[in-house]
Amino acid sequence: RNNTMITERIAEHISMAEAAQDWLRARGSRVTDVRVFMRRPLLEIACPPSELVRSANRITETHNGGTRSVWFATLGGCGVIWR
């Protein structure tokens, strides 16, 4: 039973990620990575559409001793990030 619930959740998250990818591509974004987790799918994109830019939160990320900005927004239950 537990494995069935996990499988159903992952299938639901894959569908959410596919719908988000379709929406993003229709607005000229390039999806560079998709990660499906138990909690929520995460899509990494280039060229974010203005609809997402307006609702994004800026996060500072430390990487290899330096810092860089990452923007995060949600779309259809998925997380979307870009740098």
Side-chain angles (χ1 to χ4, degrees):
R1 171 85 185 124
N2 203 16
N3 282 344
T4 301
M5 288 172 51
I6 291 170
T7 302
E8 289 171 358
R9 172 68 57 90
I10 290 171
E12 178 184 343
H13 285 184
I14 290 170
S15 294
M16 290 164 55
E18 288 173 347
Q21 283 184 82
D22 290 345
W23 188 91
L24 289 161
R25 287 184 180 133
R27 284 155 184 82
S29 290
R30 186 168 47 91
V31 178
T32 58
D33 191 23
V34 178
R35 289 169 247 161
V36 177
F37 303 107
M38 282 298 294
R39 294 184 66 173
R40 109 170 22 181
L42 181 67
L43 289 79
E44 188 167 335
I45 65 169
C47 306
S50 59
E51 296 96 325
L52 280 188
V53 172
R54 286 194 294 268
S55 66
N57 293 306
R58 181 177 169 218
I59 301 167
T60 302
E61 175 180 76
T62 303
H63 184 71
N64 291 336
T67 60
R68 61 184 177 184
S69 293
V70 178
W71 284 265
F72 177 85
T74 57
L75 174 63
C78 299
V80 181
I81 63 169
W82 61 93
R83 292 178 173 81

